[in-house]
Amino acid sequence: MIDLNADLGEGFGRWTLTDDDALLSVVTSANVACGFHAGDPSVMRRVCDLAAERGVRIGAQVSYRDLAGFGRRAMDVPSGELAAEVAYQIGALRVFAEAAGAEVAYVKPHGALYNRTVHDADQAHAVVAGVRLAGGTLPVLGLPGSLLLEATAEAGLAAVPEAFADRAYTPRGTLVPRREPGAVVTDEDAVVRRALAFAVHGSVETVDGTTVEVAPRSLCVHGDTPNAARIAARVREALETSGVAIGAFA
């Protein structure tokens, strides 16, 4: 069984980026922006209402405080401050999740914070400290082999490895930085093939043509890529046709 997740609620005020309604008809877990890289109270409330109505698990997608850069710019945040900001974002989303009759079921860092916690032990432990500060024992989604998942497991929380069907991988099993050509896979057939490779074989072809082992429990399709909802639907259909069961990990 594998979980399908997508980044949702990435709008702000009159600005809309993700097709939340369509994606919530496909995915089993929703990574909801908590206001630091995108999202606002109205958006968060609407996404939580829709997710609860459709039985989709709600996750807090925590980020550096970077609305202008969509959370994708490198930042140096003291560990204590970062832990507090992570807890703050989880708490904000929890209000709307519980109002919808659901709960915040897991945490996933976004953008620059996600990539930083792959190799930065201080920031990885700060994220986990923020999760604990928020008062729960929530699972944490992260890159396989990352210091984030290592810190999560050390804290006694569930460390959930994930893979990205629409992102290119280096031979080391890390994501190709977005500033480099080909970092985002936009060809729909290629995304479907990669999703099947992850789910069925536990591996993916990297940018240099070699294969790296990546055995995810959850598979992400970014909500801000072109035709994201259609791609996600194709991925789900292909997985189910191949005998892969789809279900939330949380």
Side-chain angles (χ1 to χ4, degrees):
M1 180 180 290
I2 197 164
D3 171 64
L4 287 181
N5 77 76
D7 302 342
L8 301 178
E10 292 183 325
F12 193 87
R14 297 176 62 186
W15 174 63
T16 300
L17 178 63
T18 50
D19 189 347
D20 299 328
D21 189 78
L23 283 164
L24 284 168
S25 297
V26 179
V27 300
T28 46
S29 296
N31 318 317
V32 183
C34 298
F36 272 36
H37 77 280
D40 64 22
S42 295
V43 172
M44 292 162 69
R45 181 178 183 182
R46 180 177 182 275
V47 174
C48 285
D49 285 347
L50 285 172
E53 178 184 304
R54 299 179 188 182
V56 176
R57 299 294 188 271
I58 297 169
Q61 187 165 42
V62 298
S63 170
Y64 287 128
R65 190 192 296 268
D66 181 27
L67 274 177
F70 198 61
R72 287 178 175 161
R73 298 185 293 189
M75 303 183 75
D76 289 315
V77 181
S79 57
E81 182 178 337
L82 179 58
E85 291 188 342
V86 166
Y88 179 94
Q89 292 175 78
I90 296 169
L93 185 64
R94 180 177 286 140
V95 168
F96 300 114
E98 292 181 351
E103 63 182 359
V104 174
Y106 65 95
V107 176
K108 175 183 173 179
H110 165 81
L113 181 58
Y114 186 98
N115 291 319
R116 181 75 169 266
T117 58
V118 170
H119 58 80
D120 188 316
D122 178 75
Q123 298 285 275
H125 281 91
V127 169
V128 175
V131 175
R132 299 297 297 272
L133 182 60
T137 55
L138 298 175
V140 177
L141 269 178
L143 202 70
S146 65
L147 294 182
L148 174 63
L149 292 192
E150 183 179 305
T152 298
E154 288 174 356
L157 307 179
V160 184
E162 73 166 336
F164 296 83
D166 53 8
R167 289 295 307 276
Y169 277 74
T170 72
R172 296 175 57 194
T174 57
L175 301 179
V176 173
R178 281 183 175 268
R179 64 179 177 274
E180 296 183 14
V184 179
V185 181
T186 57
D187 179 84
E188 293 185 20
D189 292 335
V191 174
V192 172
R193 287 195 302 270
R194 294 167 73 82
L196 287 170
F198 283 126
V200 177
H201 304 294
S203 63
V204 69
E205 183 177 339
T206 69
V207 288
D208 69 356
T210 59
T211 298
V212 64
E213 291 186 6
V214 181
R217 177 65 189 86
S218 185
L219 190 61
C220 178
V221 178
H222 279 92
D224 63 337
T225 55
N227 304 313
R230 185 174 70 200
I231 293 172
R234 287 192 58 190
V235 165
R236 178 160 185 158
E237 181 182 12
L239 291 172
E240 291 177 330
T241 299
S242 298
V244 178
I246 309 297
F249 67 85

